[in-house]
Amino acid sequence: MRMRKKLVAGNWKMHGSLAENAVLLAALKPALVGVNAVVCVPFPYLAQAQTILNGSSIAWGAQNLSEHNKGAFTGEVSASMLLDFGCSYVIVGHSERRSLYGESDGLVAAKYVAAQAAGLTPILCVGESLDERESGVTEAVVARQLDAVIKLAGVDSFAGAIVAYEPVWAIGTGKTASPEQAQAVHAFIRGKIAALDPDLAGQLIIQYGGSVKAANAAELMAQPDIDGGLIGGASLVADEFVAICQAAAK
Ligand code: PEP
C-alpha cells in the first residue's frame, strides 16, 4: 500500500503579471480545496501569492534560491527571504537553471542544503537530456545528480524532500515520457535511495515532470512510483492544472 500522498507543483517559470496571476489564483483556490498542490511563482509575485493563498489548501514557493544566506550577491534571493513571504517549497536544479545558467551538480546540492537549513522543502529536479537517453546513460546521469546531494548532505536529507524526475527532452516540448519510461526511472531513483535507507525511500515523494497535461496525467499518476507532478505550461491554465491535481488525488 502506498503511504505517500501525491503532490502536484506548478512551475510558472517567467510567466504572469499581477493581473493574470489574480485571475489564475482566484480560479485555483476554490477548485483545489483539500487537494495537495503548490504553485512556484516568480520572486516578485511571492507577496501576491501569500496574500491570496494564505489559509487555502494551496502552498506556494519559489523556482530558485541562492546557496548563500546573505551578503554581497547582487540579484540573488536567500532562503530566509523566501520564508519571509511564507514559502514552503523551492525548486532546485531545474534543467533550465542547469543548462541556461550553468548550475553544476555541486551548486544545486548547495542550494538544496540552503533550502533545507532554512526549513523550506526543496523540490530537487533531476533528469537526462535526449542525447544522454539515446546514449543509454539516463540512470548514470540521474545517479550523478542524486549523488551530489547525498555527498554533501547525506541520504538523511531526503527525509521530507521531494525529487522531481524531469527528462529534459520532455520539458516544454509536448513530448511526454511514456508512463513505463517514467516509472522505470522513478523506480531506479527509489531503489537508489532504498539501497541506503529503505524506510526513507518508501516515504520519498518522486514527482514526474515533462509536458504533463490533463489528457495524460491519469496514466502517469497511476504508476506505482509516481507521486505527483511538476507542471510547467499546464500550470498556467486553471482547468488543466485543476484536472492534473484531481488525477493525482485519485
Ligand atoms: C517544468 O517546467 O518543470 C516542466 C515540466 O514544464 P512543462 O510541463 O511545460 O513540460
Side-chain angles (χ1 to χ4, degrees):
M1 251 257 294
R2 188 201 288 266
M3 308 277 293
R4 306 175 295 273
K5 191 163 179 214
K6 294 197 188 83
L7 176 72
V8 176
N11 173 15
W12 289 8
K13 310 195 188 198
M14 199 172 74
H15 293 292
S17 66
L18 284 174
E20 288 168 2
N21 305 345
V23 172
L24 179 55
L25 293 174
L28 295 181
K29 214 168 128 172
L32 292 178
V33 171
V35 170
N36 222 6
V38 187
V39 288
C40 294
V41 308
F43 293 135
Y45 300 130
L46 286 171
Q48 182 189 28
Q50 181 178 35
T51 302
I52 296 177
L53 297 177
N54 203 15
S56 78
S57 311
I58 309 172
W60 59 95
Q63 302 165 16
N64 184 27
L65 82 167
S66 171
E67 72 278 26
H68 301 292
N69 293 328
K70 60 160 65 177
F73 302 105
T74 301
E76 292 291 286
V77 173
S78 71
S80 63
M81 292 172 185
L82 300 182
L83 283 182
D84 271 347
F85 290 92
C87 289
S88 311
Y89 295 87
V90 61
I91 298 171
V92 295
H94 190 278
S95 70
E96 288 152 18
R97 300 295 321 169
R98 292 178 189 264
S99 66
L100 302 176
Y101 299 97
E103 293 195 6
S104 64
D105 294 337
L107 177 59
V108 171
K111 290 184 175 204
Y112 177 99
V113 167
Q116 278 193 328
L120 294 164
T121 298
I123 300 176
L124 172 69
C125 298
V126 297
E128 81 289 1
S129 66
L130 186 57
D131 274 1
E132 289 164 338
R133 173 160 282 266
E134 288 176 345
S135 318
V137 295
T138 295
E139 291 187 357
V141 168
V142 170
R144 189 199 73 220
Q145 292 168 334
L146 293 171
D147 280 336
V149 171
I150 295 169
K151 187 170 156 216
L152 189 66
V155 73
D156 293 354
S157 73
F158 283 87
I162 295 173
V163 174
Y165 169 56
E166 298 210 305
V168 178
W169 49 272
I171 299 176
T173 58
K175 287 185 201 153
T176 318
S178 69
E180 295 73 24
Q181 282 174 319
Q183 167 58 28
V185 181
H186 281 235
F188 169 75
I189 293 169
R190 199 177 305 288
K192 182 169 169 57
I193 301 297
L196 299 170
D197 188 333
D199 289 345
L200 196 158
Q203 304 295 324
L204 181 65
I205 294 179
I206 308 176
Q207 297 176 325
Y208 170 76
S211 298
V212 179
K213 38 192 181 290
N216 59 23
E219 53 178 1
L220 286 161
M221 299 303 153
Q223 299 300 312
D225 288 296
I226 297 185
D227 308 314
L230 180 55
I231 317 299
S235 72
L236 297 166
V237 183
D239 290 352
E240 283 282 316
F241 191 62
V242 168
I244 294 166
C245 292
Q246 285 168 345
K250 279 193 183 133

